[in-house]
Amino acid sequence: MTKRELRIDPDQYRVHPHTRVRLGDRSTNSTDGFSGTKTDAPPVLAEMNARLADLQEMLYAEGRHKVLVVLQGMDTSGKDGTIKHVFRTINPAGVQVASFKAPNEVELAHDYLWRIHQHTPRNGHMVIFNRSHYEDVLVVRVHDLVPEEVWRRRYEHIRAFEQTLADEGTMIVKLFLHISKDEQKERLQARLDDPAKHWKFQAGDLDERAIWDEYIAAFEDALSETSTHDAPWYVVPADRKWYRNLVVSQLLIERLEGLDMHYPEPAADLGSIRLD
Ligand code: AMP
Ligand code: MG
């Protein structure tokens, strides 16, 4: 059996600060970083799942860093699937998922970051945002839920908010799951055809699909305006779910390894302790 090679350089997907993102120039279906095919991916993903679980355990044990993963993308881009497959081996005690739906009455009566901040991670924990404060410059913008002057100034708020989190010890990784419009059509069709997927189909998804280009423009602005050194965006090619899982896993592994974590020193000289 040939050894399948993984040479994903997460940096190639990063949005560098002060650069203009053009999503049309970024691949949705590349599998460049892996020499194998879909059928070769599961054992590689399993190895990465195990590595991620080890790193998360150290994160928890050390209790020094906080980790925030932000997932955004068009409908059907695979936010739920990414959570399911990339984080499946992580100890549930140390990871929380926060899913942000349309705000309720109480949330709408506050500033838009109020409901977000309550879910940011504590020391030693990892939190995954399934949608996020970015909806307040995406769906809110394309549907004119607030005037332009209101959503436009939010980029600055968001940069400052995320910088606050980063300065106070949060490692932030923001992932845009990049799918093509054709791929979305297939995934929506699958939701119509497969009874097991009916529950995922929402009629509103078709209205959103009709304004695909407006969403792309809103994403391009959001990614360009808010990818910073401490809170970078990554544009993940996501048409192939198996490749998306490898990229997201590799990216998280490298960023977590970059934290240079260690298990804490034992509190006492454990060698001298005798149990009855
Ligand atoms: P889903 O992720 O498919 O469960 O859908 C969640 C829905 O909530 C999406 O249609 C989002 O656009 C919507 N949503 C999330 N945050 C906001 C927000 N701040 N304002 C309006 N709609 C939102
Ligand atoms: Mg949906």
Side-chain angles (χ1 to χ4, degrees):
M1 210 174 79
T2 44
K3 174 133 174 47
R4 296 301 172 185
E5 233 189 301
L6 191 67
R7 30 182 176 68
I8 293 169
D9 173 10
D11 223 48
Q12 76 190 93
Y13 302 122
R14 186 192 280 251
V15 175
H16 293 282
H18 313 297
T19 57
R20 180 83 207 145
V21 181
R22 288 175 41 92
L23 288 171
D25 294 343
R26 300 210 177 214
S27 177
T28 57
N29 63 6
S30 143
T31 58
D32 284 2
F34 187 58
S35 66
T37 58
K38 180 178 177 176
T39 49
D40 302 309
V44 178
L45 181 61
E47 257 178 63
M48 296 170 107
N49 285 156
R51 177 70 184 134
L52 208 53
D54 286 346
L55 286 161
Q56 183 270 334
E57 186 179 81
M58 208 178 305
L59 177 79
Y60 190 88
E62 192 184 45
R64 193 162 63 96
H65 301 279
K66 314 156 179 75
V67 175
L68 176 61
V69 179
V70 175
L71 284 173
Q72 286 285 168
M74 298 287 195
D75 290 322
T76 78
S77 61
K79 299 180 288 291
D80 299 297
T82 299
I83 294 170
K84 181 169 167 180
H85 295 286
V86 172
F87 299 92
R88 64 184 163 199
T89 52
I90 291 191
N91 182 347
V95 66
Q96 290 86 39
V97 177
S99 297
F100 295 98
K101 311 284 179 185
N104 65 28
E105 202 187 340
V106 177
E107 290 166 341
L108 277 175
H110 290 81
D111 69 87
Y112 66 99
L113 291 174
W114 178 76
R115 66 171 183 161
I116 306 294
H117 207 160
Q118 305 176 47
H119 293 281
T120 55
R122 64 179 64 193
N123 280 336
H125 284 244
M126 189 183 284
V127 171
I128 304 159
F129 279 181
N130 183 355
R131 301 186 190 267
S132 65
H133 44 302
Y134 283 96
E135 293 296 328
D136 293 286
V137 290
L138 294 165
V139 62
V140 164
R141 163 178 169 172
V142 302
H143 287 290
D144 286 324
L145 301 182
V146 299
E148 173 165 356
E149 72 206 58
V150 173
W151 60 254
R152 204 165 268 293
R153 66 190 178 206
R154 289 181 175 173
Y155 301 127
E156 196 178 335
H157 305 160
I158 291 173
R159 285 193 298 266
F161 171 62
E162 293 177 354
Q163 194 61 52
T164 307
L165 299 179
D167 289 348
E168 299 290 324
T170 304
M171 185 185 87
I172 304 172
V173 180
K174 301 184 292 190
L175 306 170
F176 172 70
L177 304 181
H178 189 24
I179 57 165
S180 66
K181 199 174 176 188
D182 286 346
E183 179 64 21
Q184 187 191 57
K185 186 177 179 185
E186 293 199 7
R187 293 184 186 184
L188 287 172
Q189 192 63 52
R191 290 179 179 186
L192 290 171
D193 296 344
D194 179 354
K197 291 184 177 170
H198 283 174
W199 66 275
K200 290 194 203 179
F201 187 83
Q202 291 166 300
D205 292 350
L206 301 182
D207 302 330
E208 304 302 287
R209 177 172 169 78
I211 47 171
W212 176 274
D213 292 343
E214 289 177 49
Y215 269 104
I216 290 286
F219 270 115
E220 286 182 338
D221 280 345
L223 302 183
S224 305
E225 292 282 346
T226 65
S227 198
T228 61
H229 177 268
D230 288 326
W233 275 106
Y234 297 86
V235 178
V236 177
D239 278 353
R240 323 275 175 109
K241 296 171 184 171
W242 62 269
Y243 187 69
R244 168 204 77 201
N245 291 338
L246 297 183
V247 171
V248 173
S249 300
Q250 180 68 14
L251 220 147
L252 291 171
I253 288 169
E254 290 194 17
R255 292 292 309 272
L256 286 165
E257 284 176 346
L259 290 177
D260 188 29
M261 297 182 287
H262 303 278
Y263 282 102
E265 293 295 322
D269 175 10
L270 301 187
S272 65
I273 296 176
R274 294 288 170 266
L275 301 176
D276 314 320

